[in-house]
Amino acid sequence: MGAIGAGIAALGAGIGVGLIGSRAMEAIARQPEAVGDIRNNMILTAALVEGAALFAIVVGLLSR
Amino acid sequence: MIYKHFIHLFITIVLGLALPAWASHEHGSEHDHHQPEEYDAVSTVMHHIADANEFHVWKGVHIPLPCFLYAPGHGWTILSSGKFKHGHQAVDRYVLNHGRVNRIRSEDFPMGEVHIDGIISKEVEVEKNGKKEKKEEYFALYQGKEYPLDKPSTLDGGILGGGITSFYDFSITKNVASIMLVALLLILVFTAVARGYKENDGKAPRGIQSLIEPIFMFIRDEVTRPMIGEKHYERFQPFIMTLFFFILFCNLLGLIPFFPGGANITGNLSVTLVLALMAFIVTNINGNKHYWQHIFWMPGIPAWVKVILTPVEILGVFIKPFSLMIRLFANITAGHIIILSLIGLIFLFGKNGTNVGGAALGAVIGGLFTAFMNLIELLVAFLQAFIFSILTASYIGAAVDEGHHHEHEEAH
């Protein structure tokens, strides 16, 4: 069960990080001069999304 | 010519990064010493990411570490982990099981130094909440009898096998020894950098100073100044820098597969717990009036929303450091698990040394993927140190900020 949960969490996080990446690319294309700010915020948001997935992985480890 | 150089570089990287294969192999065989049937991938991986009471260097070469053990009703036992003779000797009912100190639960077992015939693992049925479950338990063999072992003592609540058990382990373990090594490295590097600033005052940086200065500038310009604000950032610069470099050095040391490295320091929940606790304390000690007002009675919103928001905000105070703790732990542990699993392919395909062709296939696939994963882990090592410090900085920034409503939105 833990492995299935971790897989679903990875799926959700993958969609989330993908959306962040695509919007960041659009933003950079629109405003290339703001690339530094956009990159920092992108990494920060991606880390937050990934954190949610990793919570699920830890729960998966616990329910092993 | 460039193409040729590229091939050389690639082979060097693959060989270099596939090194954990050897480290893993020894343990694979050592682990299956008592149960030669099959390669148990899960327990081998768990053994490698867990802490240990001795430092494994090479096949059969271990550096013993000091053990400080306390059991209620018995008192302190202080010894070197070499005395356990890798699970062949019990001292005061303590034994070494897969590198970790376990304790024999039974009162019948004699105290003092006792030779035991080994440690075996068995599946036993345990009644838990009315349901029968199969659990793996370890037993010490002594004079033809089996004595059950208590799990190692850890603070992490038993996520990676352990928990609060019948004794307390205050030993200098592999992780603690590695943290000391990291501290020593940090002291050496940063005293050299500080000396550099004294000697080259007003001149261009030299040596290791030029390596550290861009990182220092990066932390100041991208992390502390924008997150904490112009007025306060200098006060927190040392703390954020310490967090960043400590986590970075721990992560990088954990990626080195051979002796001085190899300890899963930041992938240990107890370590990240302490780091997150420091962030929590620093944030809340420095919280000003506005910070506490925003938590307990957020201004500028209807009263009924405040009733909902206040418990959420109070929970948020604890969830923020908690997520810092879990994020670092899970990222580093997940990376180690992936690398060890890929190396484990060699033993899985090779049927633990009986099928050479399968092992070779596993080595090619596992080695290539390990090289790739190691490069990603290198990125993750930097990224997680950066994330931990930037999030801590943003929490501190929210705590010391003086009343700009729109800026508060970001930090939450």
Side-chain angles (χ1 to χ4, degrees):
Chain A
M1 284 309 279
I4 296 171
I8 295 170
L11 205 67
I15 294 169
V17 174
L19 280 176
I20 293 164
S22 87
R23 294 295 149 82
M25 287 299 136
E26 281 174 23
I28 291 170
R30 217 170 275 158
Q31 271 186 302
E33 67 273 17
V35 61
D37 284 351
I38 294 170
R39 194 195 300 119
N40 273 355
N41 282 314
M42 180 182 79
I43 291 172
L44 199 62
T45 326
L48 293 174
V49 169
E50 184 201 46
L54 291 167
F55 273 121
I57 286 171
V58 170
V59 173
L61 273 178
L62 277 174
S63 69
R64 179 163 46 98
Chain B
M1 275 308 280
I2 290 170
Y3 181 71
K4 208 174 160 190
H5 279 299
F6 181 75
I7 296 271
H8 279 164
L9 186 69
F10 182 73
I11 290 170
T12 320
I13 289 173
V14 168
L15 280 182
L17 299 182
L19 256 176
W22 292 327
S24 188
H25 172 75
E26 296 142 28
H27 267 283
S29 55
E30 187 189 88
H31 176 261
D32 289 16
H33 188 65
H34 304 295
Q35 8 158 214
E37 326 90 54
E38 243 179 86
Y39 170 69
D40 186 352
V42 174
S43 68
T44 310
V45 167
M46 287 299 162
H47 168 71
H48 270 87
I49 62 172
D51 206 355
N53 287 85
E54 55 183 8
F55 215 134
H56 182 246
V57 184
W58 199 250
K59 198 177 181 77
V61 183
H62 296 79
I63 293 181
L65 294 166
C67 292
F68 303 98
L69 307 157
Y70 178 82
H74 169 61
W76 289 91
T77 303
I78 296 165
L79 76 166
S80 149
S81 66
K83 279 230 168 153
F84 292 116
K85 295 180 181 157
H86 307 295
H88 292 293
Q89 183 157 297
V91 183
D92 285 1
R93 293 201 193 119
Y94 296 108
V95 291
L96 203 64
N97 176 18
H98 288 177
R100 306 269 349 228
V101 171
N102 291 28
R103 190 162 188 259
I104 294 164
R105 229 174 288 155
S106 167
E107 296 281 319
D108 309 333
F109 198 85
M111 301 293 270
E113 292 181 13
V114 181
H115 179 84
I116 54 172
D117 300 321
I119 292 164
I120 53 161
S121 73
K122 267 206 303 199
E123 278 206 336
V124 285
E125 284 204 339
V126 200
E127 281 239 349
K128 204 178 164 190
N129 305 332
K131 262 198 323 198
K132 274 190 181 167
E133 276 181 13
K134 274 196 177 166
K135 247 174 101 182
E136 208 182 5
E137 292 258 348
Y138 288 100
F139 295 89
L141 288 176
Y142 173 64
Q143 292 182 342
K145 271 165 90 180
E146 292 170 357
Y147 293 90
L149 295 181
D150 240 0
K151 291 243 158 64
S153 150
T154 57
L155 247 184
D156 60 16
I159 287 186
L160 302 173
I164 306 292
T165 50
S166 73
F167 70 106
Y168 300 94
D169 191 346
F170 298 98
S171 310
I172 295 183
T173 58
K174 190 170 127 187
N175 279 353
V176 180
S178 302
I179 286 176
M180 287 171 176
L181 181 66
V182 167
L184 193 72
L185 275 175
L186 283 172
I187 290 169
L188 285 178
V189 168
F190 281 91
T191 45
V193 173
R195 211 180 315 119
Y197 277 106
K198 216 175 249 169
E199 280 167 14
N200 314 334
D201 190 23
K203 279 181 273 176
R206 283 176 55 211
I208 196 143
Q209 202 187 345
S210 350
L211 177 75
I212 299 296
E213 189 168 299
I215 308 177
F216 173 79
M217 298 292 273
F218 172 75
I219 300 279
R220 195 191 66 185
D221 294 340
E222 304 288 334
V223 178
T224 51
R225 195 148 43 180
M227 287 292 160
I228 302 180
E230 202 67 50
K231 201 173 157 194
H232 294 286
Y233 81 91
E234 279 188 333
R235 205 146 51 92
F236 298 103
Q237 181 77 23
F239 175 61
I240 302 292
M241 290 273 292
T242 311
L243 273 183
F244 179 81
F245 280 105
F246 179 73
I247 295 172
L248 179 65
F249 274 52
C250 285
N251 288 349
L252 292 178
L253 202 70
L255 286 180
I256 301 170
F258 41 83
F259 164 56
N264 186 16
I265 311 171
T266 35
N268 186 311
L269 209 48
S270 314
V271 175
T272 58
L273 173 85
V274 173
L275 289 173
L277 200 66
M278 284 179 194
F280 174 77
I281 292 170
V282 168
T283 304
N284 286 292
I285 280 185
N286 290 293
N288 59 14
K289 205 178 78 205
H290 295 275
Y291 172 69
W292 293 112
Q293 192 192 7
H294 275 76
I295 288 170
F296 290 113
W297 209 242
M298 178 87 78
I301 51 169
W304 65 272
V305 184
K306 287 179 187 175
V307 176
I308 305 169
L309 205 57
T310 302
V312 174
E313 285 284 337
I314 291 170
L315 272 180
V317 171
F318 298 100
I319 288 174
K320 282 170 186 172
F322 184 75
S323 70
L324 280 181
M325 169 181 100
I326 297 288
R327 183 177 299 111
L328 184 58
F329 158 75
N331 264 292
I332 304 301
T333 303
H336 281 240
I337 288 177
I338 292 169
I339 288 176
L340 289 166
S341 310
L342 289 169
I343 293 298
L345 285 181
I346 300 168
F347 306 101
L348 208 63
F349 286 179
K351 298 205 170 65
N352 209 16
T354 51
N355 183 348
V356 178
L361 181 71
V364 171
I365 297 172
L368 284 173
F369 273 102
T370 307
F372 174 68
M373 272 315 295
N374 254 318
L375 293 175
I376 288 194
E377 282 306 301
L378 208 58
L379 172 72
V380 168
F382 275 94
L383 201 61
Q384 288 309 314
F386 171 62
I387 296 279
F388 198 104
S389 43
I390 199 171
L391 284 174
T392 310
S394 87
Y395 300 154
I396 293 173
V400 298
D401 191 24
E402 278 148 13
H404 296 284
H405 284 277
H406 57 279
E407 276 185 25
H408 274 278
E409 303 299 322
E410 261 184 1
H412 287 173

